Amino acid sequence: MTQTLTLRRPDDWHLHLRDGDMMRAVLPHTATHFARAIIMPNLVPPVVTGADASAYRDRIMAALPAGSGFTPLMTLYLTEDTDAEDVAAAHASGLIHAVKLYPAGATTNSASGVANFNKVAHVFEKMAEIGLPLCTHGEVTDPSVDIFDREAAFIERVMDPIRRAHPDLRVIMEHITTSDAVDYVKSADKNLAATITTHHLVINRNHILAGGIKPHYYCLPVAKRESHRLALRAAATSGDARFFLGTDSAPHTDANKLLPCGCAGCFTAPNTMSILAEVFEQEGALDKLEAFTSLNGPAYYGLPANADTITLTREGPRYPAAIDTPDGPVTVFDPDMPLNWSVV
């Protein structure tokens, strides 16, 4: 039985750091294990221009622990007023690595997102021209569509029309949650990939709803039925280069999670690598873990894999149930299973 596992240092291709005191509290938990991360731009106000992204990056760098080699990969928040030339200039400077599409109202701090996709077609054209990827939150916000069907509806109504209109646009469907999305990614011959979160490999909708409502398992896109979770596991552990890790680690204080209308998000930064090692071992795929966490993402984004490594050893990790922040405690995601791997 394998006792140690050495991997190229992983990257996180979908991460929420927030800002201010919260960012300073959660950032070290990512920087400890990950070399790089795609940083989500849904602050209040959102990161919509190159100048916004530069200022946010400066705040992140100032908050890093001394000696950290972590690199934030910045993104811009797509709005109906986004300036395509500003996007191109920010990309040319090396500042941004993607643009994020939030359908208006789809998730936390998405009110400034896109409602009329025709108004951003010129931005997609410019992105395709310069090779800048589009990251998508793949849910429609039509209230007539059941929340468990919103990803499949997004593929049909939004994603497929965008990709047909802009075939050279490189797209990442983020935090996919359904077999529909897995199949759609597999059907593409180019320019489409997907991130899968740690928590969607572990939980299904029963974790949220069965035996009482459990707010710390509530996330968006919401976890689906078990058959979808198994499809995600099969995709993640397959070695297919189109699937890679994006944790969507999303810190909220317990006070905000436990409200009558609580926030969506799971904070997985501290224990993601231990959970993933457990999942991949359960699937008989420890030899595929490095591809999912460390190789496929850089290849799709056109970046080199990290030269340094991390080592996991077979011993039960010790993680706090919550981390303290100046705003209050943030509960760490509970995978609801024993963990047998720890990062050295």
Side-chain angles (χ1 to χ4, degrees), residues 34-337:
F34 295 90
R36 298 170 292 202
I38 285 282
I39 307 301
M40 290 296 102
N42 58 332
L43 305 182
V44 180
V47 177
V48 296
T49 67
D52 295 338
S54 180
Y56 187 26
R57 185 181 190 279
D58 288 347
R59 297 196 298 275
I60 294 169
M61 297 302 292
L64 281 170
S68 173
F70 177 77
T71 300
L73 304 176
M74 308 310 294
T75 65
L76 295 182
Y77 186 119
L78 184 65
T79 76
E80 293 178 5
D81 298 318
T82 290
D83 181 344
E85 295 307 319
D86 179 67
V87 170
H91 174 60
S93 73
L95 174 63
I96 67 162
H97 293 265
V99 170
K100 179 62 182 278
L101 167 62
Y102 290 103
T107 189
T108 303
N109 299 341
S110 62
S112 300
V114 178
N116 185 342
F117 295 95
N118 292 327
K119 290 185 177 180
V120 294
H122 67 293
V123 182
F124 295 153
E125 290 170 6
K126 175 60 72 172
M127 292 172 63
E129 175 188 326
I130 63 178
L132 180 62
L134 175 72
C135 297
T136 65
H137 180 107
E139 293 185 287
V140 299
T141 55
D142 181 344
S144 69
V145 177
D146 189 283
I147 192 169
F148 293 106
D149 298 329
R150 290 180 178 182
E151 184 170 274
F154 178 86
I155 293 170
E156 178 183 352
R157 297 183 186 183
V158 180
M159 188 77 276
D160 201 53
I162 287 174
R163 293 187 58 248
R164 290 180 184 277
H166 308 278
D168 294 326
L169 180 64
R170 295 177 61 76
V171 176
I172 301 99
M173 295 180 63
E174 296 193 306
H175 48 46
I176 61 171
T177 61
T178 61
S179 59
D180 307 81
V182 169
D183 292 342
Y184 184 66
V185 172
K186 287 181 176 179
S187 74
D189 59 355
K190 65 175 184 177
N191 294 338
L192 184 62
T195 60
I196 302 175
T197 76
T198 312
H199 54 281
H200 284 119
L201 293 173
V202 174
I203 64 171
N204 60 35
R205 61 190 187 183
N206 279 2
H207 285 83
I208 307 169
L209 299 170
I213 295 174
K214 302 177 184 67
H216 291 296
Y217 290 134
Y218 172 58
C219 54
L220 287 174
V222 68
K224 307 301 193 296
R225 64 173 67 244
E226 177 68 357
S227 60
H228 294 298
R229 186 185 74 91
L230 294 178
L232 297 177
R233 278 204 174 204
T237 60
S238 67
D240 188 323
R242 293 169 291 189
F243 300 100
F244 43 89
L245 175 64
T247 67
D248 195 19
S249 182
H252 295 285
T253 63
D254 288 356
N256 285 318
K257 288 289 290 180
L258 302 177
L259 288 170
C261 185
C263 294
C266 297
F267 179 56
T268 57
N271 56 0
T272 273
M273 291 307 299
S274 293
I275 295 170
L276 289 178
E278 193 69 32
V279 167
F280 275 66
E281 184 167 46
Q282 289 171 2
E283 299 297 321
L286 276 177
D287 61 324
K288 303 293 198 313
L289 180 59
E290 184 179 57
F292 182 69
T293 63
S294 312
L295 301 178
N296 296 349
Y300 192 80
Y301 273 89
L303 295 170
N306 297 306
D308 58 335
T309 61
I310 66 167
T311 297
L312 294 98
T313 186
R314 190 182 291 281
E315 61 179 272
R318 296 180 180 87
Y319 296 109
I323 66 164
D324 292 324
T325 81
D327 299 323
V330 174
T331 290
V332 175
F333 176 75
D334 175 5
D336 193 32
M337 63 181 176

